[in-house]
Amino acid sequence: MSSSSLLARPLDGLAALGRAVLDLCRTAGAVTLFALNAVSHAVRPPFHPRLLLRAFLEVGYFSLPVVGLTAVFTGMVLALQSFSGFSRFGAEGAVANVVVLSITRELGPVLAGLMVSGRIGAAFAAEIGTMRVTDQIDALTTLSTDPIKYLVTPRLLAATLAMPLLVLVADVLGVMGGYLIATLKLGFSGPTYLKATLDFVQMTDVVSGLVKAAVFGFVVALMGTWCGYNSRGGAQGVGGATTKAVVASSILILALDYVLTEAFFSR
Amino acid sequence: MNEALSAPLDAPVAEPAVPKIRLRGLRKAFGPKKVLDGVDLDVMPGSSMVILGGSGSGKSVTIKCILGLITPDSGTIEIDGRNVLAMSAREREAVLDRTGMLFQNGALFDSLPVWENVCFKLLAQKRLDRRQARDKAAQALADVGLDASVGDLSPAELSGGMQKRVALARAIASEPEIIFFDEPTTGLDPIMGAVIDGLIVDCVKRLGATAVTITHDMASARRIGDHAAMIHQGRIVWTGPAATLGQTGNPIVDQFARGEREGPIKMELRR
Ligand SMILES: Nc1ncnc2c1ncn2[C@@H]1O[C@H](COP(=O)(O)OP(=O)(O)OP(=O)(O)O)[C@@H](O)[C@H]1O
Ligand SMILES: [Mg+2]
């Protein structure tokens, strides 16, 4: 009796672990099918340009203030930190290079992705989740409209297209933030700082950041729409879906950032 | 003598028709909870069926199964003699194109103005352009007793009864062959309820549609229905002419129709 229960305990733990792994695989498979289905609708008529435009404005235009502010302050902090850090080696001159490299390669896309996940991923999950629990998604089906095509595809496309543009703006603003601190506070000359920036930055730095941005945009929209689409059980369910969407997309952004960096820059 | 004569006259009329909707052995459980436990039901083309049953007895689930919004655990659903559950997605879409549904809670799209809600299906099927849709919406709103100016409001700005009427207008605007009404008159005042009943009868008569209506209102059930069916404990326990509701001779139905506390239906009330 006691020996069998002693034996069972580690097996229970194993079983729980196995179950969690299986659940994870099942969810990953379901999300992949969901994404493939949604993407396949992008090339099959009828199209919904009106919805695409609305989602594009939502992601690209209305996220500008928050992403812009994030970028400016990040650039400012980067300039300060690298100046105080590098002055120990007498390498203050590298401030411009550090700022532009960090912003374009990493902080622009990652911070914009995280901000957009809080803003857009949450909004998508809440909108679609509410439609789910109030039967509006079922109503779409009865009104000869595929809910994936109508609700998910435009949002995925819009986020994937808008994020690179958003990050391009964030790159410029981030460098400007660094420039402001460098010239006003750290005593760099404006033209020298700008020249150092432009001479140093390479096409691959910017492009890799924009590719990351597109991937993050897709991930944020995918998590938002998927969690919303599968939400259950009233206001509480929608709240849970919203939280899940933000947490999942934030973690995926950080993990994918590593994978993409590895793919771009490791030889 | 009279009866012997009338029987062969009636027979050929009723015989050859394939039911518009035919359910056999429909079962659905949510977890351990058996909601439908072998539902059998026939609805003839051009007829109006009323489904009765206590709250939570599975009326809405039955309709959602027919529409393919919920997949039943077992059983068959035939529309025009063809099993819906075995159809390809495309064939199923074709069936849904000819169907209308009024959801119990309205399910209006709150991101769209009322007029776009009403003509959503016509716009989706490209049967109208947006300008024509506006006129059509005004017409459809007038039919359910709403002013054309309501068309520009958002659904959130309407009262519950107005939302219900907009949802009704949306369900019938595309003039479907089969229409499902889930509690069309709940939350309406008695006069508006009668108007809506008239509208539903008109849909069936004028469009030749087949209607399935869920209602708790006996007066309305008698007005709308040709036939009625009572669902109890996951099964259809009675079907018959709607006009006889209240004196069917079936104790379950009679108790339900008269709203009596004593009878075979035991309300599970906790004290
Ligand atoms: N998606 C679902 N998940 C779990 N249980 C469900 C679901 N939908 C319905 N049920 C359960 O099925 C039962 C029947 O629900 P249904 O909505 O069909 O009732 P109803 O007959 O329409 O009642 P009412 O007259 O109150 O609308 C209920 O007990 C409900 O709890
Ligand atoms: Mg119901």
Side-chain angles (χ1 to χ4, degrees):
Chain A
M1 175 78 196
S2 73
S3 77
S4 80
S5 75
L6 269 181
L7 199 78
R9 202 158 295 154
L11 284 183
D12 276 355
L14 263 184
L17 185 68
R19 223 170 288 130
V21 170
L22 282 181
D23 271 352
L24 192 67
C25 292
R26 199 174 305 130
T27 309
V31 173
T32 309
L33 287 180
F34 181 85
L36 286 176
N37 186 7
V39 169
S40 77
H41 276 296
V43 291
R44 279 186 285 156
F47 303 112
H48 295 288
R50 197 181 288 267
L51 296 173
L52 181 65
L53 186 69
R54 192 195 288 176
F56 190 86
L57 284 182
E58 184 66 34
V59 182
Y61 186 70
F62 292 109
S63 302
L64 266 179
V66 64
V67 170
L69 277 177
T70 312
V72 170
F73 282 117
T74 309
M76 288 162 62
V77 169
L78 269 178
L80 266 188
Q81 285 280 24
S82 49
F83 184 80
S84 75
F86 285 176
S87 59
R88 293 179 203 163
F89 316 109
E92 298 92 335
V95 167
N97 311 351
V98 170
V99 168
V100 71
L101 209 64
S102 320
I103 291 278
T104 52
R105 281 188 176 194
E106 281 301 325
L107 296 174
V110 169
L111 291 180
L114 294 177
M115 292 320 261
V116 167
S117 117
R119 236 186 72 85
I120 298 300
F124 285 178
E127 279 167 24
I128 296 181
T130 306
M131 292 188 72
R132 165 63 73 196
V133 301
T134 55
D135 285 341
Q136 291 180 50
I137 294 189
D138 284 348
L140 276 176
T141 310
T142 68
L143 294 169
S144 302
T145 303
D146 188 316
I148 302 266
K149 183 191 259 318
Y150 188 81
L151 296 174
V152 180
T153 306
R155 287 175 165 87
L156 281 184
L157 276 184
T160 311
L161 297 176
M163 266 296 278
L165 296 180
L166 204 56
V167 167
L168 205 56
V169 176
D171 286 351
V172 173
L173 289 177
V175 168
M176 263 195 32
Y179 171 85
L180 281 180
I181 292 301
T183 51
L184 296 182
K185 195 162 157 37
L186 306 176
F188 284 78
S189 98
T192 323
Y193 185 93
L194 278 188
K195 188 165 183 319
T197 301
L198 292 176
D199 283 349
F200 189 70
V201 71
Q202 288 181 351
M203 202 58 181
T204 45
D205 300 328
V206 178
V207 169
S208 74
L210 299 186
V211 171
K212 281 180 178 178
V215 173
F216 297 165
F218 183 82
V219 165
V220 165
L222 180 63
M223 285 298 116
T225 51
W226 193 77
C227 292
Y229 200 81
N230 291 290
S231 66
R232 292 278 176 276
Q236 204 177 5
V238 176
T242 310
T243 310
K244 243 194 287 175
V246 175
V247 171
S249 52
S250 304
I251 292 177
L252 277 176
I253 283 175
L254 296 175
L256 284 174
D257 184 42
Y258 176 80
V259 174
L260 290 173
T261 307
E262 182 89 37
F264 274 118
F265 297 109
S266 77
R267 307 265 124 118
Chain B
M1 189 63 198
N2 226 343
E3 277 171 38
L5 263 179
S6 69
L9 274 180
D10 276 349
V13 184
E15 264 291 294
V18 179
K20 193 79 184 171
I21 305 170
R22 182 190 185 95
L23 308 182
R24 283 295 174 269
L26 207 59
R27 276 167 222 279
K28 178 71 190 176
F30 292 103
K33 183 172 184 179
K34 280 188 195 157
V35 176
L36 304 182
D37 193 17
V39 167
D40 300 328
L41 189 68
D42 286 332
V43 185
M44 285 300 167
S47 75
S48 171
M49 167 69 78
V50 172
I51 300 183
L52 307 170
S55 193
S57 57
K59 306 180 295 295
S60 300
V61 169
T62 307
I63 284 193
K64 285 183 180 172
C65 283
I66 302 175
L67 284 164
L69 303 174
I70 293 178
T71 312
D73 299 332
S74 64
T76 59
I77 299 167
E78 287 176 13
I79 290 183
D80 289 327
R82 302 194 47 223
N83 187 357
V84 187
L85 298 172
M87 281 183 185
S88 69
R90 186 156 301 169
E91 288 174 309
R92 227 171 159 153
E93 271 169 33
V95 171
L96 279 175
D97 281 349
R98 299 181 283 128
T99 339
M101 164 80 179
L102 165 67
F103 285 84
Q104 187 165 359
N105 58 10
L108 296 174
F109 305 128
D110 35 31
S111 57
L112 298 177
V114 165
W115 74 269
E116 264 188 79
N117 264 284
V118 171
C119 289
F120 192 91
K121 189 162 186 166
L122 294 168
L123 287 169
Q125 294 176 337
K126 301 232 168 8
R127 275 151 71 180
L128 295 180
D129 62 35
R130 291 177 73 79
R131 183 163 309 150
Q132 292 168 318
R134 276 197 97 101
D135 297 339
K136 168 82 188 168
Q139 178 59 45
L141 288 172
D143 286 346
V144 294
L146 290 172
D147 194 73
S149 64
V150 170
D152 292 318
L153 299 178
S154 112
E157 295 172 293
L158 305 181
S159 77
M162 289 163 89
Q163 289 184 6
K164 195 112 214 182
R165 284 186 274 161
V166 172
L168 181 74
R170 181 175 74 177
I172 59 182
S174 62
E175 309 195 336
E177 274 175 40
I178 310 174
I179 322 181
F180 299 93
F181 302 103
D182 198 343
E183 307 198 4
T185 54
T186 311
L188 300 183
D189 65 72
I191 299 174
M192 194 42 74
V195 170
I196 297 300
D197 287 345
L199 200 68
I200 292 175
V201 172
D202 185 51
C203 270
V204 178
K205 294 263 150 61
R206 188 168 48 88
L207 306 175
T210 308
V212 177
T213 311
I214 295 174
T215 182
H216 292 296
D217 177 354
M218 288 307 133
S220 147
R222 289 190 203 98
R223 277 198 294 259
I224 299 172
D226 305 323
H227 303 282
M230 169 92 192
I231 185 166
H232 182 58
Q233 293 180 340
R235 291 163 173 274
I236 302 284
V237 292
W238 175 84
T239 53
T244 64
L245 281 171
Q247 52 256 353
T248 61
N250 181 313
I252 298 178
V253 184
D254 287 352
Q255 183 202 350
F256 188 82
R258 296 188 204 131
E260 290 164 345
R261 286 176 57 174
E262 303 301 321
I265 308 177
K266 298 277 181 280
M267 279 290 155
E268 285 155 10
L269 297 179
R270 259 181 240 137
R271 287 170 200 257

